[in-house]
Amino acid sequence: MNLLGLDAQGMERLFAIIGEKPFRARQVLKWIHRRGAADFGAMTDIAKDLRAKLAAVATIEPPVVIGDGTAADGTRKWLLKVDGANAVEAVFIPEDGRGTLCVSSQAGCTLDCEFCSTGKQGFNRNLTAAEIIGQLWLANRALGVHGQPGGVGAGNRAISNVVFMGMGEPMLNLDAVIPAARLMIDENGYGLSRRRVTVSTSGVVPGMDRLAAECPVALAVSLHAPDDALRDRLVPINRKYPIRALLAACNRYLEHAPRDFITFEYVMLDGVNDSDAQAQALLGIAARVRCKFNLIPFNPFPGSGLKRSGAERIRRFAEVLQRGGLTATTRKTRGDGIDAACGQLAGDVADRTRRTRTVPITEVRA
Ligand code: SF4
């Protein structure tokens, strides 16, 4: 059994089975996540016989790093092998006063949003909780945090925020996403505040309700269109959960996170969704849910047939939203040199769907 993916509950359950006390489970959790221990022998305040017992039944196994590249702006991307056929990507984005890790939740994605490079690759499988939290574990190790005295949280916090915005739709893999998110906010894990862990969804309504009930971290919703006709095309899951149902789910979510707001992600596509009239229509949506907008300049990829809105159009679009009383920010394009910008995570997926791969495999090397 791989202990890396067990949250506090899971670890305590395992320790009960092997006849050990819950506080021992919390100690081991700290060793793994705060100090980055990969072998039981390093856990010096745990009795030798317990260490031997654990070594006999369990392992601590992160994914394997097969690519590691840093762009000129400091954005760093790891390509992680999760099995013989699949590799996923995690990206670290350093900014003044904060560091954000973007993690993947699936190898590929089933949903095929029109503007998304990952979606064009098809889908192979869900990641396990160990493979998801393993991205944060590996990033802390690579950034030198695990090696500092006290490890994660002892004043060494290179990663202050985690966003589930890499490959995959997190709401379609909640059995693994929820334990991973719980470890991120657990004080014996990574100790991040609930609002600094963001799960992003294209609008899978049942998943939003489950996450609200079980682990209501911050929520981002990929909106990308102000009406159902356009959203049906850009984000096909809209045909199942149209905007009205999506907004109702957003409001139910906020009942579990009363002082939060929803972040609506909106990719700026030239001549498709970027007119003043469409910005005005978004004000109608914003009147129905507590929210802010994050405008994302589109990153073109081969075969997409889409173009990024011009800088002046994006500025004007944001201005319409702001004049309407909304908070609207525009995401800085980061990591261009290593294909780590939003919507460009490609990884390497053994496609088991019948979708045609149109995007070349991206691999970065140190
Ligand atoms: S945008 Fe997200 S949900 Fe849509 S295809 Fe890409 S990874 Fe999947």
Side-chain angles (χ1 to χ4, degrees), residues 27-41:
Q27 268 181 311
V28 169
L29 215 59
K30 271 190 188 168
W31 271 107
I32 296 174
H33 297 288
R34 297 192 82 97
R35 304 171 85 162
D39 106 64
F40 299 107

Side-chain angles (χ1 to χ4, degrees), residues 22 37 57 68 76 84 100-101 131 138 146 150 178 188 208 225 248 253 256 260 262-263 271 280 283 311 340:
V57 297
D68 181 349
R76 185 165 172 185
T100 301
L101 185 73
E131 289 162 348
L138 283 167
H146 274 153
I178 287 173
N188 295 313
M208 293 164 71
Y253 197 93
H256 293 260
D260 285 14
I262 304 294
T263 301
Q280 285 291 347
L283 295 176

Side-chain angles (χ1 to χ4, degrees), residues 72-356:
D73 64 7
T75 300
R76 185 165 172 185
K77 180 168 79 168
W78 295 277
L79 185 65
L80 307 171
K81 186 175 164 197
V82 289
D83 57 43
N86 294 288
V88 299
E89 294 175 341
V91 180
F92 175 66
I93 305 148
E95 288 170 294
D96 285 348
R98 64 195 244 161
T100 301
L101 185 73
C102 176
V103 297
S104 296
S105 57
Q106 297 181 307
C109 186
T110 53
L111 295 186
D112 201 17
C113 298
E114 191 168 325
F115 53 85
C116 177
S117 161
T118 299
K120 299 292 171 249
Q121 287 191 80
F123 173 74
N124 189 12
R125 69 168 174 86
N126 284 328
L127 298 187
T128 64
E131 289 162 348
I132 297 172
I133 202 68
Q135 297 168 56
L136 181 54
W137 190 95
L138 283 167
N140 272 297
R141 168 165 287 211
L143 295 168
V145 180
H146 274 153
Q148 303 275 331
V152 175
N156 320 308
R157 181 148 283 161
I159 298 169
S160 58
N161 297 64
V162 178
V163 294
F164 284 79
M165 294 183 186
M167 301 170 73
E169 165 52 66
M171 298 299 181
L172 294 179
N173 186 19
L174 285 177
D175 285 347
V177 164
I178 287 173
R182 284 182 175 151
L183 281 167
M184 290 170 191
I185 61 178
D186 190 324
E187 59 175 18
N188 295 313
Y190 297 85
L192 296 173
S193 96
R194 188 184 60 75
R195 288 207 183 97
R196 287 178 178 267
V197 175
T198 302
V199 173
S200 176
T201 181
S202 56
V204 180
V205 164
M208 293 164 71
D209 287 331
R210 180 175 166 199
L211 188 69
E214 296 185 29
C215 188
V217 291
L219 184 68
V221 172
S222 293
L223 189 62
H224 307 312
D227 58 75
D228 283 324
L230 180 58
R231 195 163 190 271
D232 280 354
R233 186 188 121 198
L234 296 179
V235 187
I237 192 77
N238 193 70
R239 294 173 205 154
K240 193 163 183 187
Y241 305 113
I243 290 174
R244 186 176 38 78
L246 177 62
L247 298 184
C250 288
N251 281 320
R252 288 196 299 277
Y253 197 93
L254 291 175
E255 286 171 19
H256 293 260
R259 284 178 297 140
D260 285 14
F261 45 78
I262 304 294
T263 301
F264 285 128
E265 307 283 348
Y266 198 93
V267 66
M268 297 299 295
L269 301 167
D270 183 40
V272 176
N273 66 352
D274 63 350
S275 70
D276 283 2
Q278 285 163 318
Q280 285 291 347
L282 289 180
L283 295 176
I285 286 182
R288 292 152 69 189
V289 61
R290 204 162 61 246
C291 65
K292 67 173 190 177
F293 274 78
N294 189 24
L295 307 181
I296 306 165
F298 174 62
N299 288 295
F301 56 88
S304 73
L306 297 163
K307 285 193 290 184
R308 177 187 295 185
S309 307
E312 178 52 26
R313 182 86 295 270
I314 296 175
R315 192 200 61 73
R316 170 74 192 147
F317 196 89
E319 190 179 82
V320 174
L321 297 180
Q322 287 156 355
R323 287 214 173 130
L326 283 180
T327 300
T329 51
T330 302
R331 187 181 291 174
K332 264 197 279 174
T333 300
R334 300 290 305 256
D336 273 348
I338 54 167
D339 285 350
C342 181
Q344 289 190 338
L345 296 191
D348 189 351
V349 173
D351 184 4
R352 289 202 181 135
T353 58
R354 299 221 179 93
R355 206 168 300 147
T356 313

